[in-house]
Amino acid sequence: MSPAFSPPRRLALAAGLCLALAACSSGAGIGGDSGPDPRRPARDLEPLDRAAFGDILTGLRRDNGQGALAMDGRLNRAAQDYATVLERTPGRLGHRADGRTVGERARAAGYDYRWVAENLAWGHRSNAQVAEAWMRSPSHRANMLDPRAEDFGLGREGRSWVLMLGAEK
């Protein structure tokens, strides 16, 4: 075996290649695309505009044979509160990070539902980006296009996004 391909040399080359590849890649974000570096401040985010998101959601639903949804202040408040919880508890992006279900959060906000669903995301800069990511995910897409949905609420804190969808009793 030539010295250029000795086992220690091959190991060093393989380790160097792995490090170079790791430096070029980024982890997959929630919703199917790469999220930004969590150590960077959230200065690159567009301002949250719930009405504009409602327009995007309405367009997506109409394109798929569903009706428009009404923005609901109680769902907005519940979604915003939960986005704050998610942003303040790094690594806990999940539907029970506060120990409650989406239904419990909706009812605590005064929304007495017969149907409720929730989409979570992290790292997207804008309404359009998060909506696109959710539409690429089969389960999130199903929530957004569910024919039972009548209302929505949206919250974002930093890079954490929460969409609540529901229908009251």
Side-chain angles (χ1 to χ4, degrees):
M1 184 178 294
S2 78
F5 295 104
S6 67
R9 177 98 176 168
R10 279 188 291 180
L11 182 60
L13 288 171
L17 180 59
C18 288
L19 287 173
L21 289 173
C24 294
S25 67
S26 62
I30 302 301
D33 67 11
S34 297
D37 184 342
R39 296 164 295 187
R40 279 188 31 213
R43 289 189 294 256
D44 61 340
L45 300 175
E46 291 182 10
L48 179 62
D49 185 339
R50 289 180 175 95
F53 182 84
D55 292 342
I56 292 168
L57 183 56
T58 293
L60 293 169
R61 287 179 59 83
R62 287 196 174 139
D63 289 349
N64 288 277
Q66 301 301 323
L69 303 181
M71 184 170 22
D72 186 278
R74 297 162 296 173
L75 292 179
N76 278 339
R77 184 172 59 253
Q80 185 60 50
D81 289 349
Y82 196 52
T84 300
V85 167
L86 294 174
E87 190 68 14
R88 292 183 181 167
T89 53
R92 300 261 342 241
L93 184 64
H95 294 282
R96 293 191 66 127
D98 65 353
R100 300 184 300 168
T101 67
V102 61
E104 290 167 334
R105 288 190 292 279
R107 285 212 170 99
Y111 190 84
D112 191 22
Y113 66 91
R114 69 176 182 273
W115 178 84
V116 69
E118 177 177 72
N119 287 358
L120 306 178
W122 186 88
H124 304 286
R125 293 185 57 243
S126 67
N127 290 327
Q129 283 183 353
V130 76
E132 181 182 330
W134 280 329
M135 287 298 284
R136 285 193 312 261
S137 163
S139 61
H140 294 107
R141 178 186 178 92
N143 287 343
M144 292 170 68
L145 301 180
D146 196 295
R148 296 171 291 181
E150 296 174 0
D151 305 309
F152 81 95
L154 181 69
R156 187 191 78 208
E157 184 70 29
R159 297 182 185 282
S160 298
W161 293 80
V162 177
L163 172 63
M164 293 179 73
L165 304 142
E168 280 194 287
K169 288 184 177 179

